């Protein structure tokens, strides 16, 4: 999180024209009507005034479309998954959170129901081309027992992902069996989209299913390059769902659409905010980044964190929001601390009263209430980034309140999306992870999709 951080003024950097959800809708792009079973959601990217023009929408094959197109009985299907689960530090073996394992079960079980032979591949940590036996950068052995339980079948494992041993294990599979390959990042070429590694993976199967959304923004051998060696490549259920929510619900929302953007630095979220200005009716801003906006507005921010080199860009973003008729809402009060410590002295102050050595570490109660009123009127809500230093109890109130507001919005029928990273940790910390419409499994991938970027792991899939 941020080392000094947090909130600001219910500032309208938009003299609101008409609410965006009341404006005339732009004509929809023409599409070809393919059979629904063959299609993943349209993966389209809208042009941004800050970036180059994006490509036309693409329709991608999904796993059900693959099964409808070919007989998978007894056929090897390579499935790229994300098995980066946390391990107990005491033994480096016990899986402490199986969320990512459970996430891949629908796709794997569907392929097994079609009598396919499923070959799973994943990276695990960052071994950087070294073979590491245990720990978070090591072999994938720790996931085998729990994965076998979840799938209801024995998961076999081979200690390589390409080469003679992997090829022999893949050839020996009979219908309905599951094989797990070794950590793909034991090969340094994985992250460089090495052609030899991609070709080696391609020897193991005829078809490819991409179900690792969290790595789909990377052009790696096992996410993109491998598709050059497959007859067809499709999106799995998890990837399909991510695209449906992060593209479909945001690009064609039930309005009003509100985005909540937080976190420590504006610099990491500039492209996201730029893209959201084109799509949203309201953007609520929290976290350490607000102080850069405050400085752009001429406020004293005390000892709060500011990215001085980004101040002009923050001012430009507010002007862009105003020109687009979008409300960019900053907190009106903040929780200040006399040091960056859980035991720090604290006080609540209006944004006009920040000064001296005090630093903002959370949004204040008036801001929480104001944000709540806006969220009550929103029918689609996207959240990316905490409102304060939520890891410290005294400064978690704003973030927890936003999590509770999303849960309440979901209960009344709104679509609520938590866009990866610290936001996921925050909503799970609040015990509300199952009370929102969708929690993204990808941090960087979520951001890049919201930015309007093409994800290489999606672009490489078979077009229909």
């Amino acid at each position: 999180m941020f080392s000094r951080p947090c909130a600001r003024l219910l500032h309208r950097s938009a003299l609101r024209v008409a609410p965006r959800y009341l404006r005339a809708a732009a004509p929809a792009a023409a599409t070809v009507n393919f059979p629904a079973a063959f299609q993943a959601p349209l993966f389209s990217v809208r042009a941004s005034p800050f970036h180059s023009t994006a490509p036309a929408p693409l329709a991608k094959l999904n796993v059900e479309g693959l099964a409808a197109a070919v007989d998978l009985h007894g056929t090897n299907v390579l499935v790229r998954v994300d098995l980066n689960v946390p391990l107990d530090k005491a033994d480096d073996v016990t899986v402490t959170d199986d969320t990512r394992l459970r996430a891949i079960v629908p796709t794997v079980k569907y392929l097994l129901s079609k009598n396919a032979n499923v070959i799973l591949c994943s990276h695990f940590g960052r071994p950087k081309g070294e073979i590491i036996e245990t720990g978070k950068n090591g072999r994938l052995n720790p996931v085998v027992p729990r994965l076998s339980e979840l799938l209801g079948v024995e998961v076999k494992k081979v200690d390589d992902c390409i080469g003679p041993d992997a090829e022999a294990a893949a050839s020996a599979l009979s219908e309905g069996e599951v094989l797990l390959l070794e950590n793909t990042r034991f090969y340094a070429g994985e992250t460089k989209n090495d052609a030899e590694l991609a070709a080696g993976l391609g020897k193991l199967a005829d078809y490819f299913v991409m179900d690792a959304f969290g790595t789909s923004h990377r052009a790696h051998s096992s996410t993109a390059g491998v598709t050059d060696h497959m007859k067809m490549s499709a999106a799995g259920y998890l990837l399909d769902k991510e695209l449906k929510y992060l593209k479909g619900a945001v690009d064609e929302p039930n309005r009003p659409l509100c985005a909540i953007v937080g976190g420590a630095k504006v610099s990491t979220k500039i492209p996201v905010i730029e893209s959201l200005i084109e799509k949203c009716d309201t953007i609520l801003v929290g976290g350490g980044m607000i102080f850069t906006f405050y400085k752009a507005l001429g406020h004293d921010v005390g000892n709060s964190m500011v990215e001085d080199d980004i101040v002009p860009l923050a001012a430009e973003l507010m002007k862009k929001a105003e020109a687009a008729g979008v409300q960019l809402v900053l907190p009106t009060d903040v929780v200040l601390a006399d040091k960056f410590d859980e035991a720090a002295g604290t006080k609540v102050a209006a944004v006009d009263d920040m000064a001296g050595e005090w630093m903002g570490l959370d949004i204040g109660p008036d801001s929480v209430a104001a944000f709540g009123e806006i969220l009550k009127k929103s029918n689609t809500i996207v959240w990316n980034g905490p409102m304060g230093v939520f890891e410290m109890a005294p400064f978690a109130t704003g973030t927890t309140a936003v999590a509770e507001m999303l849960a309440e919005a979901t209960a009344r029928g709104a679509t609520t999306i938590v866009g990866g990273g610290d936001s996921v940790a925050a909503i799970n910390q609040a015990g509300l992870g199952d009370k929102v419409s969708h929690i993204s499994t990808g941090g960087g991938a979520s951001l890049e999709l919201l930015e309007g970027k093409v994800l290489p792991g999606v672009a490489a899939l078979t077009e229909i």
Side-chain angles (χ1 to χ4, degrees):
M1 278 298 299
F2 31 96
S3 61
R4 298 173 181 174
C6 213
R8 143 96 239 216
L9 150 102
L10 197 74
H11 172 82
R12 290 196 179 190
S13 66
L15 295 174
R16 198 112 153 104
V17 190
R20 187 164 286 189
Y21 55 95
L22 293 180
R23 299 177 209 163
T31 59
V32 179
N33 294 320
F34 290 98
F38 287 79
Q39 296 188 48
L42 282 181
F43 179 70
S44 60
V45 183
R46 294 171 55 180
S48 164
F50 291 79
H51 299 293
S52 60
T53 302
L58 302 176
K60 297 297 185 178
L61 185 70
N62 66 19
V63 66
E64 291 186 12
L66 175 64
V70 297
D71 182 5
L72 296 177
H73 193 283
T75 301
N76 284 6
V77 179
L78 180 66
V79 185
R80 180 51 160 98
V81 292
D82 184 357
L83 301 179
N84 279 267
V85 295
L87 302 178
D88 192 323
K89 294 180 180 178
D91 60 16
D92 272 342
V93 172
T94 305
V95 175
T96 57
D97 184 346
D98 66 358
T99 301
R100 286 181 173 171
L101 302 185
R102 287 185 282 108
I104 71 169
V105 170
T107 294
V108 176
K109 282 195 170 183
Y110 178 77
L111 290 168
L112 292 176
S113 75
K114 299 300 179 181
N115 297 310
N117 308 324
V118 178
I119 302 173
L120 302 174
C121 72
S122 174
H123 73 284
F124 195 53
R126 295 187 176 96
K128 299 179 180 178
E130 297 181 33
I131 296 177
I132 300 173
E133 294 299 324
T134 60
K136 64 180 181 179
N137 300 312
R139 295 191 182 276
L140 279 163
N141 298 26
V143 307
V144 173
R146 182 57 180 148
L147 200 52
S148 297
E149 290 177 16
L150 291 169
L151 295 174
V153 299
E154 177 190 0
V155 175
K156 301 178 179 181
K157 182 175 177 294
V158 62
D159 291 336
D160 208 339
C161 63
I162 59 171
D165 290 345
E167 291 172 26
S171 297
L173 290 173
S174 58
E175 63 182 65
E177 291 190 323
V178 179
L179 173 68
L180 174 62
L181 304 179
E182 190 52 273
N183 190 343
T184 58
R185 289 191 186 173
F186 281 178
Y187 288 87
E190 158 71 331
T191 58
K192 302 170 184 176
N193 200 9
D194 178 71
E196 186 176 346
L197 177 57
L201 290 167
K203 293 179 181 179
L204 307 179
D206 293 318
Y207 302 100
F208 177 72
V209 172
M210 179 63 177
D211 215 23
F213 175 71
T215 58
S216 63
H217 63 310
R218 304 298 187 199
H220 291 175
S221 298
S222 68
T223 61
V226 66
T227 62
D228 292 335
H229 306 278
M230 296 289 168
K231 294 177 181 177
M232 301 175 87
S233 300
Y237 285 121
L238 177 61
L239 180 59
D240 199 41
K241 183 182 179 185
E242 293 277 11
L243 297 178
K244 183 181 297 181
Y245 275 98
L246 289 171
K247 291 301 293 180
V250 175
D251 286 351
E252 297 181 6
N254 179 15
R255 294 192 180 276
L257 167 60
C258 178
I260 309 164
V261 182
K265 298 180 178 180
V266 185
S267 56
T268 62
K269 301 289 176 74
I270 287 173
V272 176
I273 296 173
E274 289 173 357
S275 179
L276 291 173
I277 285 172
E278 296 181 350
K279 302 171 183 178
C280 291
D281 301 292
T282 306
I283 301 174
L284 308 180
V285 184
M289 68 173 66
I290 61 175
F291 298 104
T292 301
F293 284 98
Y294 289 159
K295 191 161 185 178
L297 292 167
H299 287 278
D300 186 343
V301 297
N303 202 30
S304 302
M305 186 182 76
V306 171
E307 293 179 276
D308 288 313
D309 57 329
I310 304 297
V311 169
L313 280 174
E316 183 67 17
L317 286 174
M318 290 188 283
K319 290 179 182 177
K320 292 289 182 182
E322 181 174 359
V326 175
Q327 290 187 96
L328 187 67
V329 181
L330 300 169
T332 54
D333 60 342
V334 296
V335 177
L336 298 175
D338 56 11
K339 59 181 177 179
F340 189 77
D341 191 288
E342 191 161 7
T346 64
K347 65 180 180 180
V348 176
V351 296
D352 295 326
D353 297 330
M354 294 185 293
E357 295 302 308
W358 291 82
M359 62 183 72
L361 298 183
D362 196 9
I363 63 175
D366 289 349
S367 303
V368 168
F371 282 17
E373 290 303 309
I374 293 170
L375 293 176
K376 285 178 183 178
K377 301 172 184 176
S378 301
N379 290 323
T380 304
I381 304 168
V382 181
W383 180 25
N384 187 285
M387 299 292 98
V389 189
F390 73 97
E391 299 91 341
M392 298 183 188
F395 313 112
T397 302
T399 301
T400 300
V402 167
E404 292 170 347
M405 291 171 194
L406 260 67
E408 292 169 1
T410 310
R412 64 172 170 77
T415 298
T416 53
I417 303 164
V418 181
D422 286 339
S423 307
V424 175
I427 200 159
N428 285 333
Q429 179 176 296
L432 297 169
D434 61 344
K435 303 297 183 183
V436 294
S437 304
H438 179 64
I439 294 180
S440 178
T441 57
S446 299
L447 287 176
E448 293 199 11
L449 200 57
L450 289 172
E451 288 168 23
K453 291 184 178 179
V454 173
L455 306 185
V458 176
L461 301 180
T462 300
E463 295 180 30
I464 55 172

